[in-house]
Amino acid sequence: MIPFLKNFFPDEFQTEQLPILKVTMLGPSGVGKTSLLAAMYDQFDEISQDLQLRADEDTAPILDKRLQELKNMVGTSIKPGEGIRGTAGDEPMCYNFEFGETGVNPELEIQFQDYPGGWLEKTNQIEKVRTLIRESAAILIPIDAAILMENNGEYHERFNQPNKINDLLKKVYRNLDSPRLVILVPVKCEKYMQDNPKQLFDRVQEGYKKVFNQLAGAKLAPKVAVIITPVQTVGNIVFSRIEKSGDDQVIFNYRKRSPNDPYQPRNTEIPLRFLLRFLLKLHLDKKRSSLLDFIFDFLGQNDSLRNAVIRFSEGRMDDVEIVQGHHLLKLTD
């Protein structure tokens, strides 16, 4: 093959394994994990000119299907606990993205890992979830905001499962050898971000109090950054009412604010901004670990990429609360 022609077939000739950044999505099926990824992926190109995020051939069809469902939502009902294809079975689901500068080969693979919803109910499967968390530089905790907020949080423990999340972290985050990032992401939160954002942040603090208290301990606080960042995955759908049926089913209903409101997600990129800011800070501070050694190659040998990541990670970040770990996220004095 003439070397010049290789530029027209970059994927065919790219055989080198990309460094992998693993992120575990920690939460039950149906909470909104796939919707969050679909909205983030869809909106990324509109937010960043210098960087690109591309789903692989297995991930793209799943996200495209979910994206169409989000765009077609007019009036809908959701039964908590109902996940989509890929979160049931005996194996974790990996949503794989190639990441790098626009117009050149990718430099990094980002894996968002999801586990089957029933694993937390099975003693022999819980260790697999712990392994996913242990191998991840960051965890993403999507929170169903309506379940947290409505009826004084009556269904929060049942469906968002904060105590199970706390128990997992209590076991895994022992003797950490490298910094970690924990991102709590209220989704389906359009109504609350419009009505009273502060109340939503306060309820997250209250609903995950055990998690926050544990991570704020003297041994973990220096090593774990924690943020809350609500994401509106649709933008024009608000919670309407709860229906109950005789077989203990709970159905949350949503509606459009106005029939002509467009699909308009908000803040979908902020979790990724913080993830990259976290990596960049570790690189700048020259903090090495077996888990994150790749960041020195990823960011250290490419000035153009590093500068693009800096610009993106310092972009607009409305409606974010850094609970702890400012020292792991602050890029300038």
Side-chain angles (χ1 to χ4, degrees):
M1 176 69 74
I2 300 172
F4 172 78
L5 294 181
K6 288 187 179 182
N7 294 327
F8 292 93
F9 305 97
D11 293 329
E12 179 181 344
F13 290 91
Q14 184 182 319
T15 58
E16 185 177 351
Q17 178 68 41
L18 294 174
I20 299 173
L21 171 65
K22 294 183 178 182
V23 180
T24 292
M25 296 188 294
L26 195 54
S29 295
V31 75
K33 291 174 283 190
T34 310
S35 297
L36 173 61
L37 289 181
M40 178 188 74
Y41 176 57
D42 177 61
Q43 294 295 299
F44 189 84
D45 287 345
E46 296 186 14
I47 294 160
S48 176
Q49 293 180 331
D50 300 327
L51 298 171
Q52 63 179 353
L53 188 72
R54 186 177 71 175
D56 73 5
E57 60 185 11
D58 294 323
T59 298
I62 298 172
L63 298 186
D64 287 344
K65 180 177 183 295
R66 185 56 185 149
L67 185 62
Q68 288 307 309
E69 293 172 351
L70 292 175
K71 290 182 177 180
N72 293 333
M73 289 176 75
V74 177
T76 189
S77 61
I78 297 174
K79 295 179 181 178
E82 288 188 342
I84 72 165
R85 182 181 69 82
T87 56
D90 298 323
E91 296 297 330
M93 176 69 189
C94 279
Y95 300 90
N96 301 314
F97 299 86
E98 293 179 339
F99 175 80
E101 284 188 276
T102 302
V104 298
N105 287 337
E107 298 277 355
L108 178 70
E109 180 178 333
I110 305 177
Q111 288 185 356
F112 289 89
Q113 304 177 110
D114 189 12
Y115 54 87
W119 275 15
L120 295 187
E121 310 300 329
K122 300 176 182 178
T123 304
N124 63 332
Q125 300 286 28
I126 290 178
E127 186 55 37
K128 294 183 179 179
V129 181
R130 293 179 184 140
T131 298
L132 293 178
I133 301 170
R134 198 173 288 117
E135 294 176 347
S136 296
I139 62 171
L140 200 63
I141 305 177
I143 301 167
D144 189 310
I147 289 174
L148 173 69
M149 300 292 288
E150 300 299 327
N151 281 23
N152 294 317
E154 177 183 354
Y155 305 106
H156 173 56
E157 176 57 39
R158 176 179 169 186
F159 293 120
N160 282 323
Q161 301 181 353
N163 286 331
K164 288 184 179 179
I165 291 172
N166 184 59
D167 290 342
L168 284 168
L169 296 182
K170 188 180 298 183
K171 182 84 172 184
V172 176
Y173 278 11
R174 292 177 181 173
N175 303 314
L176 286 179
D177 66 348
S178 62
R180 307 296 172 96
L181 174 63
V182 176
I183 308 175
L184 294 96
V185 187
V187 295
K188 306 172 191 171
C189 61
E190 284 81 351
K191 174 179 185 291
Y192 316 106
M193 292 304 293
Q194 175 182 298
D195 293 348
N196 191 341
K198 183 181 183 303
Q199 184 181 43
L200 175 60
F201 282 96
D202 289 345
R203 290 292 289 274
V204 172
Q205 290 269 12
E206 178 184 343
Y208 289 82
K209 185 175 182 179
K210 291 182 180 179
V211 173
F212 290 123
N213 283 346
Q214 179 191 170
L215 297 180
K219 297 295 185 181
L220 288 180
K223 296 180 179 179
V224 182
V226 183
I227 68 169
I228 304 171
T229 174
V231 169
Q232 301 179 50
T233 49
V234 178
N236 60 4
I237 295 289
V238 295
F239 169 79
S240 175
R241 67 187 189 283
I242 298 174
E243 294 180 6
K244 300 179 184 179
S245 63
D247 56 356
D248 202 31
Q249 292 264 347
V250 181
I251 301 172
F252 283 69
N253 289 278
Y254 298 79
R255 60 172 176 80
K256 270 194 172 185
R257 289 194 182 99
S258 170
N260 296 322
D261 279 349
Y263 171 71
Q264 197 172 24
R266 297 176 185 172
N267 295 339
T268 59
E269 82 288 355
I270 291 181
L272 191 56
R273 287 195 200 273
F274 271 101
L275 183 59
L276 292 173
R277 176 181 284 203
F278 174 69
L279 293 181
L280 186 60
K281 178 62 173 175
L282 296 183
H283 166 71
L284 295 174
D285 287 352
K286 297 181 171 56
K287 292 193 176 182
R288 285 192 170 274
S289 74
S290 57
L291 185 66
L292 295 170
D293 266 352
F294 70 85
I295 67 173
F296 292 91
D297 292 330
F298 167 60
L299 291 169
Q301 299 178 6
N302 188 328
D303 290 342
S304 177
L305 174 62
R306 184 170 62 252
N307 290 334
V309 169
I310 289 173
R311 288 192 296 272
F312 178 74
S313 65
E314 290 185 327
R316 179 187 62 83
M317 295 191 191
D318 299 334
D319 303 316
V320 174
E321 181 177 341
I322 300 178
V323 179
Q324 70 178 51
H326 288 74
H327 63 289
L328 294 171
L329 298 167
K330 190 176 181 181
L331 299 181
T332 58
D333 294 329

